[in-house]
């Protein structure tokens, strides 16, 4: 079994009200010194057996089109216990 | 010859029956379209209705845009088919790149249902010919992800080309960029907006009848 | 139970051979005599799975063992009604509303889960009641929610309240059901026990009513909807921990997560199956999941049933028979279909994207046999679980403090006198947590979807068109008042009934049926049990007097923290019919120049009032007089005046009295009012008394005579109070004037917990 | 500057309707062989300078209370370019 992890984060220039609300709440919860919080999504895909090259291409396509809205989000795709494929912008 | 306006039902569409009712109220022939049919049944225009297609769990409209029926909508929109996306339908149009930008979570992070004042800006689209530029209307909105976002060049372009169809009047209900409530493609046949004109066709069941011209406009355009 | 490994499943054969094996029935909440009865019914010890089934079906939640003997009154005292097509005992009552349409509605609690996990608890509460309505064959068309939270400033209230509200919104909005009303009340007594009572209403052609009875030997049992997981296994996991691996038990969550998208598909799928007459019997899976659905359908049909449990689609492959049977995974239905229709049923389900699995069949005889890979793990008479559970006449005792509290009359509290004091009191009340605008809550709910909402928040009642051709409609209101019920549970239940009845009448609709949700502390506390019995009697007597039957409801016990129960909180829903929704009475003030009239009699009644609570944190005395004759007369005036289109505005008087009614009426459409209180009357009493059977109406000059006549006919007191004005102010002659902006800003105060 | 990443995932036994909706869509998008998808959240916190021990304790507390709903979710906290602190259950 292979696990593919896709991390999707709002682009830096896009307002992230959820992250902002958390950042604002932190000092009142006694947690100081956090400059910023951003909230994104994490997807874990489980694939039976070993990931084939074709499947990997499929999943990269899905990550870039379905799991991410490229207008407002970037993503990083990671195959667990495997190398990292980074198709988003530098993070 | 009667004008046939299709309304697509995706799994999780909710305001599809309301859109069909509005089409009928405008005296066009309402035609139900099914997401899994790769067939538009010869309709003259298409409405993508409100709702939570596929639960909207991932991002609103993200999965629906891949539905078989959408391939045809995208194809024929390019050829001039009038397409109106309402709320979830607007989200689908953006996800499908028929319209630029995206709809993000409301800045206050809550679902918001309210009667909203709007100002009509572009009235040369297939769906807004029945309005006067600058006309203020009251139409309900109800969404959790309705904050229109796009990068500045895109926003500048939309404004320069007069493609902002409708803006929130007064306080923004969701933090949308430049108060944008709805936009069109350059040709004006594809329009998306967050408010629900189909819920403002009769003062008995809505705050006004201010939404009806969306549906009569397309009729006028098609019989013209 | 002995140290069986996970692989060894306790079968019927094994149970017959090991009759003496000790079983952990006490941990499962079964009494000694209850366990002995199971032995007697089965003629052997139950298998682990059977024991789990009995424990859950005989629990308070499923068997109503403490409440049954009292709830009978609803049937016994019910007024005769031709409109009642299905009465109590089915999933929900069904009422003939004319025009070939039937309506079903019911309210249900989801209190405890909503405290543990507010969002999901409330969401699945909505999901559950919607399936109950669907089960009757109806298309669910609207929801309402009656909510109670702790003190708004208490630290935990924000978590509980915001989560619950978002959960009600999240589920209902995503299902496409307009939310047309409800309640939000803050009171410290609900601190550790929030109440989430969700109501759903559905509409169907009169000839499409579905029944839950499983009938027809050879018919097939189909499980529709979500896969089954380890959700909400609760009490039954105790069995697991006694029998199996201690460590895994701890991981079993009792929290259920709702999936409204799946429910939406399930609804559309079931409606299509009903429409095509493919369903012989149907039952939703709610509390006690498959256990409840299989035993209830088999018992109702006096049929046998065979279930192949290994066919149930699972989220986790390792689930054991008792877990599968007890799972409360949401968004599932059980349907009985004819064998010849099975293929069509499965293909329709597939079109809607709904899982459908044939899991069993109807058999001869009256045994429910459940097998696991061919071996029987259950072999029981289904009625013994579904209908023949224990029933207790629990001890009852009038609360020790009852007389002392009633003697503590609020009449003796210092009252405001001067114009300034009265003005400040009005503003303070308008801004107080229970009277301020409900908008922060209701604007999270979609009230438009469906396109048939004629009235919704902040109108007194929800009004829904159910037939676009004839404009026929239904009105609904839910009300409860825990403070009144604390002072007098009998009168408290009646006052809640009276208020819901009155609210329905303000829309112009005629009230015809009642549902209820009874929220109380522990039935093992004799004082709580007394309160319960009083509330049930009050409600049953009230319904008889008003001539409208109780068609269903729900009981929630154990709403208490330690030894302290919540205030008894009967929540009453009333359904009304409107022959023509275009004749609805508009809410709030009418047109400029219209007369403002107070209908009904005002007495000096402030005990248990919002004023006593806000101004003095006082709860004592005797609640307002209940006068059903006056309520019925007022309702008759409202419905007749509505039908004749005499009225341009309406608002009932309830919490906060006339003062609050004026504030809300002015703000509804931002109209001004000039008011002269009746001469000689005590202004405080006029403004803040909470006497029942009263409403404000607006009437144009040319209709005044007709309205007066109607009132005279019904003997409803009529008092001309003033006039609707173009000035943006509320002017109380000889007292004070407030501009509407000031009123609006007081009323827009957001309770701390919701900020 | 230090970045702390908190990955929050629904507990394995809890229904994940989000992930399920995606998993069901994948085959129609020509992506086969994915057995399951789970959707969670990813938080990125940026802290000025180096993370002190006290700050780290604070953030762990925040992760366990504010960022995670412990009734239905587990989390993993990672300090970037630092060791991994895992306070959830094994993943
Ligand atoms: N307070 C009540 N008043 C009237 N009927 C009630 C009350 N509580 C429960 N009932 C009835 O008892 C039956 C079983 O209730 P319940 O277990 O809540 O139904 P379900 O199994 O559909 O969830 C239903 O017919 C319900 O209407
Ligand atoms: Mg039921």
């Amino acid at each position: 079994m292979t696990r593919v992890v896709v991390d999707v984060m709002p682009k830096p220039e896009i307002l992230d009200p959820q992250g902002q609300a958390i950042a604002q709440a932190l000092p009142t919860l006694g947690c100081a010194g956090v400059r910023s919080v951003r909230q994104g999504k994490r997807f874990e895909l489980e694939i039976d057996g070993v990931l084939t090259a074709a499947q990997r291409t499929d999943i990269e396509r899905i990550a870039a089109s379905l799991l991410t809205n490229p207008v407002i989000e970037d993503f990083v795709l990671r195959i667990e216990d495997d190398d990292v494929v980074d198709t988003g912008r530098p993070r | 010859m009667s004008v046939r306006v299709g309304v697509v039902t995706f799994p999780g569409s909710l305001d599809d029956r309301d859109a069909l009712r509005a089409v009928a109220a405008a005296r066009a022939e309402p035609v139900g379209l099914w997401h899994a049919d790769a067939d538009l049944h010869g309709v003259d225009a298409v409405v993508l209705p409100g709702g939570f297609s596929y639960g909207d769990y991932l991002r609103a409209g993200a999965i629906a845009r891949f539905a078989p029926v959408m391939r045809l909508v995208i194809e024929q929109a390019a050829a001039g088919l009038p397409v109106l996306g309402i709320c979830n339908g607007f989200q689908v149009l953006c996800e499908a790149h028929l319209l630029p930008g995206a709809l993000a979570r409301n800045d206050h992070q809550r679902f918001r249902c309210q009667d909203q004042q709007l100002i009509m800006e572009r009235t040369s689209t297939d769906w807004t010919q029945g309005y006067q530029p600058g006309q203020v209307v009251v139409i309900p909105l109800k969404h959790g992800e309705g904050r229109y976002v796009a990068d500045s060049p895109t926003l500048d372009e939309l404004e320069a080309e007069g493609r902002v169809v409708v803006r929130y009047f007064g306080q923004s209900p969701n933090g949308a960029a430049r108060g944008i409530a709805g936009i069109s493609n350059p040709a004006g046949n594809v329009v998306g907006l967050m408010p629900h004109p189909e819920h403002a066709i009769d003062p008995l069941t809505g705050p006004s009848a201010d939404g009806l011209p969306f549906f009569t406009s397309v009729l006028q355009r098609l019989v013209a | 139970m002995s140290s069986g490994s996970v692989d060894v499943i306790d079968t019927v054969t094994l149970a017959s051979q090991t009759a003496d094996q000790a079983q952990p029935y006490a941990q499962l909440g079964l009494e000694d005599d209850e366990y002995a009865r199971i032995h007697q019914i089965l003629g052997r010890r139950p298998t682990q799975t059977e024991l789990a089934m009995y424990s859950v079906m005989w629990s308070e939640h499923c068997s109503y063992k403490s409440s049954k003997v009292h709830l009978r009154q609803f049937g016994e005292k019910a007024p005769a009604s031709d409109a009642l097509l299905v009465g109590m005992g089915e999933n929900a009552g069904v009422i003939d509303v004319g025009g070939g349409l039937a309506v079903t509605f019911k309210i249900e609690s989801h209190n405890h889960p909503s405290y543990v996990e507010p969002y999901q608890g409330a969401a699945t509460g909505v999901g559950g009641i919607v399936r109950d309505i669907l089960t009757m064959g109806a298309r669910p068309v609207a929801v309402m929610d009656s909510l109670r939270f702790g003190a708004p400033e208490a630290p935990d209230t924000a978590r509980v309240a915001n989560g619950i509200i978002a959960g009600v919104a999240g589920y209902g909005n995503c299902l496409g059901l307009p939310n047309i009303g409800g309640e939000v009340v803050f009171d410290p007594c609900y601190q550790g026990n929030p109440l989430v009572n969700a109501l759903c209403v559905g509409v169907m052609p009169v000839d499409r009513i579905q029944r839950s009875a499983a009938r027809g030997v050879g018919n097939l049992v189909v499980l529709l909807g979500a896969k089954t997981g380890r959700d909400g296994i609760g009490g039954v996991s105790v069995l697991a921990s006694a029998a199996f691996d201690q460590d895994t038990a701890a991981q079993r969550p009792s929290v259920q997560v709702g999936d409204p998208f799946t429910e939406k598909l399930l609804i559309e799928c079931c409606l299509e199956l009903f429409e095509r007459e493919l369903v012989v019997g149907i039952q939703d899976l709610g509390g006690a999941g498959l256990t409840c659905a299989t035993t209830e359908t088999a018992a109702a049909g006096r049929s046998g049933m065979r279930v192949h449990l290994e066919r149930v689609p699972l989220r986790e492959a390792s689930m054991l028979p008792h877990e599968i049977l007890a799972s409360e995974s949401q968004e599932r239905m059980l349907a009985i279909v004819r064998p010849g229709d099975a293929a069509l049923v499965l293909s329709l389900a597939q079109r809607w994207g709904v899982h459908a699995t044939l899991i069993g069949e109807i058999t001869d005889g009256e045994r429910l046999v459940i097998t696991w890979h061919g071996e029987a793990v259950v072999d029981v008479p289904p009625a013994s679980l579904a209908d023949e559970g224990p029933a207790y006449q629990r001890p009852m005792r009038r609360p020790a403090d009852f007389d002392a509290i009633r003697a503590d009359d609020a009449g003796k509290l210092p009252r405001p006198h001067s114009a300034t004091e009265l003005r400040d009191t009005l503003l303070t009340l308008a801004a107080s947590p229970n009277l301020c605008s409900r908008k922060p809550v209701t604007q999270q709910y979609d009230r438009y979807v469906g396109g048939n909402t004629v009235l919704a928040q902040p109108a007194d009642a929800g009004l829904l068109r159910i037939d676009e051709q004839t404009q026929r409609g239904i009105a609904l209101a839910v009300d409860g008042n825990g403070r009144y019920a604390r002072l007098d549970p009998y009168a408290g239940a009646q006052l809640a009934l009276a208020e819901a009845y009155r609210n329905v009448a303000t829309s112009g609709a005629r009230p015809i049926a009642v549902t209820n949700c009874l929220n109380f502390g522990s039935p093992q506390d004799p004082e709580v049990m007394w309160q319960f019995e009083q509330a049930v009697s009050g409600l049953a007597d009230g319904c008889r007097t008003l001539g409208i039957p109780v068609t269903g409801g729900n009981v929630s016990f154990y709403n208490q923290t330690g030894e302290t129960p919540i205030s008894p909180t009967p929540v009453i829903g009333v359904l009304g019919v409107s022959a023509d929704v275009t004749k609805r009475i508009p809410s709030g003030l009418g047109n400029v120049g219209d007369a403002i009239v107070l209908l009904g009699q005002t007495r000096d009644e402030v005990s248990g009032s919002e004023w006593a609570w806000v101004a003095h944190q006082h709860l004592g005395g005797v609640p307002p007089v209940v006068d059903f004759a006056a309520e019925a007369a007022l309702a008759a005036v409202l419905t007749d005046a509505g039908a004749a289109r005499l009225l341009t505005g309406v608002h009932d008087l309830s919490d906060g009295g006339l003062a609050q009614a004026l504030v809300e009426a002015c703000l509804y459409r931002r109209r001004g009012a000039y008011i002269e209180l009746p001469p000689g009357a005590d202004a405080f009493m006029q403004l803040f008394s909470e006497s029942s059977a009263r409403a404000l109406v607006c009437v144009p000059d040319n209709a005044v005579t007709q309205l007066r006549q109607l009132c005279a006919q019904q003997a409803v007191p009529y008092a001309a109070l003033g006039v609707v004005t173009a000035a943006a102010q509320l002017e109380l002659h000889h007292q004070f004037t407030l501009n509407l902006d000031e009123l609006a800003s007081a009323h827009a105060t957001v309770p701390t917990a919701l900020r």
Side-chain angles (χ1 to χ4, degrees), chain A, chain B, chain C:
Chain A
M1 206 204 60
T2 315
R3 171 183 289 170
V4 180
V5 175
V6 181
D7 287 327
V8 174
M9 295 300 290
K11 288 192 198 238
E13 67 274 19
I14 294 279
L15 170 71
D16 168 22
Q18 301 165 92
Q20 232 172 41
I22 295 166
Q24 276 160 16
L26 291 182
T28 65
L29 298 175
C31 179
V34 176
R35 186 207 292 172
S36 82
V37 179
R38 294 191 76 74
Q39 176 173 341
K41 295 175 190 146
R42 176 186 168 95
F43 300 92
E44 295 181 358
L45 286 71
E46 284 188 358
I47 286 111
D48 287 323
V50 186
L51 195 67
T52 65
Q55 264 182 329
R56 185 172 167 149
T57 315
D58 279 350
I59 292 180
E60 279 171 25
R61 178 174 51 82
I62 291 294
S65 59
L66 179 68
L67 302 183
T68 310
N69 179 343
V71 177
I72 49 175
E73 296 165 330
D74 294 319
F75 75 98
V76 177
L77 185 149
R78 228 179 6 254
I79 292 157
E80 232 152 70
D81 301 322
D82 203 336
D83 58 340
V84 173
V85 183
D86 188 339
T87 37
R89 61 172 74 181
R91 312 270 300 272
Chain B
M1 198 199 76
S2 86
V3 170
R4 307 175 74 235
V5 179
V7 175
V8 177
T9 296
F10 298 101
S13 288
L14 305 176
D15 304 275
D16 43 348
R17 282 173 294 151
D18 307 282
L20 289 165
R21 183 190 293 114
V23 167
R27 304 189 180 280
E29 183 189 335
V31 178
L33 300 175
W34 184 246
H35 69 103
D37 277 2
D39 190 347
L40 293 182
H41 299 278
V43 296
D44 305 303
V46 168
V47 178
L48 304 181
F52 287 71
S53 54
Y54 297 89
D56 276 359
Y57 294 135
L58 172 59
R59 279 185 323 280
I63 298 180
R65 74 116 151 164
F66 291 104
V69 76
M70 281 305 294
R71 246 201 349 263
L72 294 173
V73 171
I74 293 170
E75 227 172 74
Q76 301 202 15
L81 178 79
V83 177
L84 175 67
I86 303 172
C87 195
N88 196 225
F90 184 19
Q91 293 159 339
V92 173
L93 290 176
C94 288
E95 286 281 344
H97 310 302
L98 279 175
L99 293 173
L103 292 144
R105 203 163 156 70
N106 294 348
D107 57 356
H108 49 79
Q109 298 193 64
R110 284 181 177 163
F111 188 94
R112 173 71 62 83
C113 172
Q114 69 187 29
D115 299 339
Q116 177 69 42
Q117 285 200 319
L118 302 166
I119 182 154
M120 302 303 300
E121 292 201 358
R122 181 177 186 191
T123 58
S124 60
T125 78
D126 290 358
W127 299 91
T128 54
Q129 298 180 7
Y131 293 97
Q132 297 302 314
Q135 187 180 343
V136 174
V137 298
V138 175
I139 291 179
L141 57 77
K142 49 196 189 81
H143 58 248
E145 294 179 32
R147 175 171 52 104
Y148 184 74
V149 295
D151 55 23
S152 311
T154 305
L155 293 170
D156 293 342
E157 186 183 311
L158 283 171
E159 296 198 319
E161 295 178 5
R163 287 164 55 197
V164 175
V165 175
V166 47
R167 273 186 230 255
Y168 302 112
F169 188 68
Q171 210 194 336
S172 163
N174 53 27
R178 305 191 191 173
I180 292 175
I183 56 173
S184 73
N185 67 348
N189 62 313
V190 179
V191 170
L193 79 168
M194 286 316 296
H196 286 260
E198 81 283 19
H199 287 298
I201 58 163
D202 179 353
L204 179 70
T205 51
S208 69
D210 291 353
L212 194 57
F214 272 90
F215 303 94
T216 49
S217 293
V218 74
L219 197 73
Q220 275 160 21
R221 147 83 179 68
L222 288 166
V223 295
Chain C
M1 227 167 284
S2 66
S3 59
S5 89
V6 175
D7 311 314
V8 180
I9 303 289
D10 192 20
T11 61
V12 171
T13 316
L14 206 60
S16 316
Q17 290 161 356
T18 54
D20 303 332
Q21 189 177 301
Q23 294 186 288
Y25 63 86
Q27 284 116 291
L28 291 172
L30 286 165
E31 307 288 334
D32 292 344
D33 57 333
E34 291 172 353
Y35 181 66
R37 236 186 92 210
I38 299 172
H39 264 265
Q40 194 194 340
I41 291 166
L42 298 179
R44 57 172 165 79
R45 75 160 173 89
T47 64
Q48 290 166 13
T49 308
E50 288 166 341
L51 183 62
M53 290 171 75
Y54 278 100
S55 82
V56 60
M57 287 303 288
W58 288 7
S59 70
E60 186 66 58
H61 181 71
C62 294
S63 75
Y64 286 83
K65 57 188 167 190
S66 306
S67 55
K68 245 192 299 217
V69 297
H70 303 292
L71 296 179
R72 277 186 202 127
Q73 294 185 52
F74 293 140
E76 290 159 6
K77 294 180 181 171
S81 165
D82 296 339
L84 194 60
L85 301 176
V86 176
M88 283 192 342
E90 278 286 343
N91 288 291
V94 181
I95 300 105
D96 186 344
V97 294
L101 294 176
V103 167
T104 177
F105 76 129
K106 187 176 167 187
I107 187 164
E108 208 160 70
S109 63
H110 223 215
N111 303 340
H112 299 101
S114 301
Y115 178 62
V116 177
E117 170 37 40
Y119 184 98
Q120 296 296 345
T124 54
V126 172
I129 188 63
V130 168
R131 285 192 300 282
D132 263 335
I133 294 310
L134 175 64
T135 297
M136 299 311 297
R139 172 178 281 282
V141 291
V143 294
M144 301 177 97
D145 59 315
S146 172
L147 308 178
R148 280 167 179 73
F149 308 124
E153 308 76 30
D156 196 37
T157 305
R159 172 191 76 95
V160 172
N162 291 309
I164 286 172
I165 293 160
V168 170
Y171 207 98
N173 293 346
C174 189
L175 268 192
L177 293 176
N179 187 309
I180 59 166
E183 295 182 284
V184 183
V185 176
F186 295 92
D187 188 298
C189 80
Y190 305 111
Q191 200 59 60
N193 297 276
L195 303 185
V196 176
N197 290 185
L199 180 149
C200 181
V201 59
V203 180
M204 69 192 120
V206 269
D207 54 9
R208 205 181 70 193
I209 299 175
Q210 302 291 321
R211 300 289 178 148
S212 59
R215 291 215 172 89
V217 174
N219 281 345
L220 301 177
V221 180
V222 188
L223 183 59
L224 292 161
K227 289 185 181 173
T228 298
R230 286 194 169 100
D231 317 54
I233 292 184
V236 182
S237 63
V238 180
L239 173 77
S241 59
F244 309 117
D245 178 2
Q246 295 282 353
D247 298 340
T248 55
Q251 295 181 8
R252 302 210 164 118
S254 62
V255 175
Q256 307 146 24
V257 170
D259 179 0
F261 171 57
T262 293
E263 179 120 323
K264 165 72 178 164
L265 301 180
L266 191 59
I267 291 171
E268 298 301 336
C269 174
C270 287
L271 288 172
E272 184 165 0
L273 298 180
F274 299 155
E275 196 56 50
R276 294 174 176 239
E277 302 185 357
L278 294 172
V279 172
V280 176
I282 187 145
Q283 174 70 36
D284 60 299
L285 274 71
L290 260 181
T291 295
C292 185
T294 53
T295 55
E296 284 190 354
T297 50
R302 309 184 124 271
S303 298
M305 187 183 287
R306 163 83 189 264
V307 175
H308 309 265
L309 205 55
E310 71 284 352
R311 294 187 190 167
V312 173
L314 302 179
R315 278 210 321 267
E316 292 175 83
S318 61
M319 287 178 71
L320 297 166
H322 74 264
E323 294 178 310
I324 298 169
L325 283 163
S327 160
E328 295 189 354
S329 288
Q330 301 289 298
E331 293 95 22
R332 297 180 299 164
M333 302 283 279
L334 192 75
I336 314 297
V337 307
R338 288 172 294 266
D341 294 334
L344 181 55
V345 168
L346 298 188
S347 77
L348 288 174
Q350 192 180 16
R351 179 179 135 90
W352 283 107
V354 169
H355 292 292
T357 315
L358 302 176
I359 61 163
E361 56 272 342
I362 308 301
T363 56
D364 239 341
E366 292 188 26
R367 301 293 288 191
L368 170 65
V369 177
I370 299 177
T371 57
W372 178 246
H373 298 287
E375 283 252 38
V377 291
V378 172
D379 183 350
V380 296
S384 69
L385 287 135
D387 307 326
E388 292 151 21
Y392 298 127
Q393 178 77 59
R394 299 234 188 238
M396 300 188 285
R397 188 177 61 236
R398 217 164 75 141
D401 61 3
F402 187 70
D403 294 323
I405 289 186
R406 284 171 66 89
D408 182 15
D409 194 297
K412 59 162 203 286
L413 300 170
R415 299 177 170 197
H417 288 291
S418 71
T420 318
E421 286 168 357
L422 287 169
R423 175 186 182 280
D424 291 348
T425 305
L426 179 142
L427 284 176
T428 306
L429 280 179
S432 67
N434 291 333
L435 296 182
C436 64
S437 168
R438 310 285 91 179
K439 212 161 141 193
V441 179
T442 57
Q443 73 183 359
Q444 296 183 50
Y445 302 154
D446 182 349
R447 62 181 177 276
Y448 284 115
V449 65
N452 287 311
T453 307
V454 177
L455 294 173
Q457 317 88 328
D460 293 325
L463 179 64
L464 213 59
R465 177 174 63 188
I466 60 171
D467 187 331
E468 288 185 47
Q469 261 64 56
T470 63
Q471 304 295 339
R472 185 177 297 276
I474 51 175
L476 280 154
V478 284
D479 287 291
N481 188 321
R483 283 202 308 266
Y484 289 160
R486 173 78 175 87
L487 298 180
D488 181 344
Y490 183 93
Q494 295 199 329
L495 285 163
L497 170 66
E499 187 179 347
Y501 181 91
R502 190 184 325 131
N503 281 327
V504 162
T506 60
S507 72
R510 183 172 49 86
I512 52 164
V514 176
T515 184
N516 68 99
C517 190
L518 305 174
N519 305 277
F520 286 76
S522 165
Q524 277 139 4
D525 176 343
E527 299 191 348
V528 169
M529 214 50 225
W530 180 86
Q531 291 174 324
F532 181 78
E533 194 283 328
Q534 286 289 302
V536 171
S537 301
L539 180 57
D541 291 344
C543 288
R544 183 173 51 187
T545 310
L546 286 173
I548 53 176
V550 172
T551 63
N554 174 246
V555 175
S556 172
F557 279 131
Y558 298 104
N559 294 289
Q560 61 180 51
T561 306
E563 296 297 298
T564 314
I566 60 165
S567 289
T569 312
V571 171
I572 315 297
V574 170
L575 173 78
V577 193
S578 162
D580 181 354
V581 293
T582 67
K583 294 185 176 174
R584 74 201 178 282
I585 309 177
S587 302
L589 294 184
N591 303 318
V592 172
D594 291 349
I596 300 173
V597 176
L598 175 63
L599 304 180
Q601 185 188 347
T602 304
R603 305 181 189 84
D604 195 331
E605 294 178 311
V606 290
S607 288
S609 71
E610 209 57 58
W611 169 75
W613 182 251
V614 171
H616 299 282
Q617 291 78 52
H618 181 270
L619 176 55
V622 180
V625 168
V626 181
D627 184 346
F628 285 121
E631 293 289 356
L634 175 66
V637 167
L638 291 169
T639 40
D640 290 351
R645 298 192 197 259
L646 301 184
L647 305 180
T648 55
V650 68
H651 192 20
D652 89 312
L653 268 64
S654 57
D655 304 355
L658 176 64
Q660 182 68 14
L662 285 169
V663 170
E664 291 169 359
C666 286
L667 294 178
Y668 201 98
R669 280 178 276 169
R670 277 193 86 87
R671 302 261 156 89
Y674 169 82
I675 302 292
E676 288 182 15
L677 294 175
D682 167 19
F684 165 81
M685 198 270 277
Q686 288 292 326
L687 285 172
F688 298 103
S689 160
E690 294 186 3
S691 296
S692 61
R694 295 184 301 160
L696 269 187
V697 295
C698 296
V699 54
D701 283 346
N702 61 10
V704 166
T705 316
Q706 263 177 290
L707 180 63
R708 276 189 180 280
Q709 273 166 6
L710 279 178
C711 290
Q713 273 162 27
Q714 298 287 349
V716 169
Y718 177 110
L721 274 193
V723 60
V724 182
T725 64
Q729 60 187 35
L730 169 60
E731 180 178 357
L732 263 77
H733 184 62
H734 287 324
Q735 295 293 346
F736 55 84
T737 299
L738 277 160
N739 73 44
L740 294 193
D741 286 338
E742 202 172 351
L743 275 187
S745 87
H747 195 237
T749 304
V750 178
T752 319
L754 303 182
R755 276 174 203 156

